[in-house]
Amino acid sequence: MGNSALKAHLETAQKTGVFQLTGKGLTEFPEDLQKLTSNLRTIDLSNNKIELLPPLIGKFSFLKSLVLNNNKLTALPEELCKLKKLETLHLNGNHLRQLPAAFGQLSALKTLSLSGNQLRTVPMQLCGLRHLDVVDLSKNQIQNVPDTVGELQAIELNLNQNQISQISVQISHCPRLKVLRLEENCLELSMLPQSILSDSQISLLAVEGNLFEIKKLRELEGYDKYMERFTATKKKFA
């Protein structure tokens, strides 16, 4: 892509606060964007070949949405965690194995998508995020859900298509968790904490494609209580 094309994009971004450049084969984050650190609210660089996010990302202090789906990122810089206004972060289809230690400082974050990466566990840093609504960790390599998950504030947690065989009973203590997706994992019925059914806020539990028949779920103690929540929620949205 020529300089004139980039220049045109930068001029538009200066007016709109949105910089979108997708599917252009970019191998690096455009350095010229640093001229717009105070303008930009949205950056979308999906479907490129970016391997590194430079430390200068921390200077975009008004950024609300950062979308970098389908790139080649293997790690994120600590500087990303300075973005106090960031509400939406989409990093699907990269090669991330972990999140920066200071990730919990992204205090405005509402939506986090990390589908199709190489995470092996539910990142502990997520538990510090008080405004988190939706977390998508589907299509990773997560094998168990640790005790720290009980502090997660999310409303929806998507763990579909992982390798989960163990879930901490603490998940039923999540204060706002309404939707839990666990489809296509390696769960035995005995490994699904019954408190999810009997004693949680969860009103939609998706567990198709595990190592048990769905009808066996109906035989578990607490299933009736779960169905009450499920039906009440359905009515609310009907």
Side-chain angles (χ1 to χ4, degrees), residues 112-158:
L112 175 63
S113 287
L114 287 160
S115 180
N117 279 280
Q118 294 169 20
L119 299 172
R120 292 184 177 274
T121 183
V122 177
M124 282 172 55
Q125 297 94 313
L126 302 186
C127 296
L129 298 168
R130 294 279 164 251
H131 299 288
L132 211 47
D133 289 335
V134 179
V135 181
D136 185 353
L137 300 173
S138 61
K139 300 182 185 173
N140 276 280
Q141 296 161 17
I142 298 169
Q143 294 175 0
N144 64 7
V145 180
D147 287 348
T148 46
V149 76
E151 294 167 41
L152 189 69
Q153 300 287 326
I155 296 168
E156 175 170 342
L157 177 59
N158 185 343

